Amino acid sequence: QVQLVESGGGLVQAGGSLRLSCAASGRTSNTWTMGWFRQAPGKEREFVASINWSGTRTAYADSVKGRFTISRDNAKNTLFLQMNSLKPEDTAVYYCAADTTDRNPHLHRIPSLYDYWGQGTQVTVSS
């Protein structure tokens, strides 16, 4: 059974930093593309960042470029999202996800193409 478990969410003040982790277990593969998505109340699930298996290709939503960094430690089966200069509009439930199909990078921002999802971790940024 594939399982993705996010952790590291919490309440921070605007301008602060937070690091999210996603631990993968079960029948996982380090060849999968991994992504971070977020969903605020009443809004659609939104692409945040993605990373290929080797960590050499990353992509970010325009809203987080320069502030967030996605990375992975394949030896530990863990995905990370370092979030700096947080803004109130970053408030959302953050989900990690795995795409088991090797795709062109421009497809990595599409939520429906990811096969496995974590349960999410709440990030709240106060003004």
Side-chain angles (χ1 to χ4, degrees):
Q1 187 79 14
V2 174
Q3 188 173 35
L4 304 177
V5 180
E6 302 95 337
S7 62
L11 174 64
V12 297
Q13 294 182 340
S17 298
L18 206 60
R19 188 183 73 167
L20 305 183
S21 299
C22 174
S25 61
R27 297 173 55 254
T28 60
S29 173
N30 288 329
T31 66
W32 296 349
T33 294
M34 301 296 296
W36 285 101
F37 294 80
R38 65 188 183 186
Q39 188 166 22
K43 297 183 179 180
E44 298 292 328
R45 189 163 297 188
E46 175 189 24
F47 170 78
V48 176
S50 67
I51 187 169
N52 73 327
W53 70 271
S54 66
T56 58
R57 299 176 186 175
T58 58
Y60 297 91
D62 289 341
S63 59
V64 306
K65 285 182 179 178
R67 300 189 297 120
F68 291 10
T69 302
I70 188 172
S71 61
R72 65 194 299 169
D73 186 338
N74 289 338
K76 298 180 179 179
N77 293 317
T78 305
L79 176 74
F80 301 98
L81 183 68
Q82 179 66 46
M83 304 184 295
N84 298 326
S85 302
L86 284 162
K87 304 174 181 179
E89 51 263 45
D90 295 318
T91 295
V93 176
Y94 282 71
Y95 301 89
C96 66
D99 180 3
T100 64
T101 301
D102 188 16
R103 309 180 190 275
N104 290 325
H106 73 279
L107 298 175
H108 292 164
R109 66 181 63 212
I110 304 174
S112 63
L113 297 182
Y114 285 75
D115 302 288
Y116 301 105
W117 294 82
Q119 293 301 305
T121 185
Q122 177 70 47
V123 172
T124 302
V125 184
S126 62
S127 301

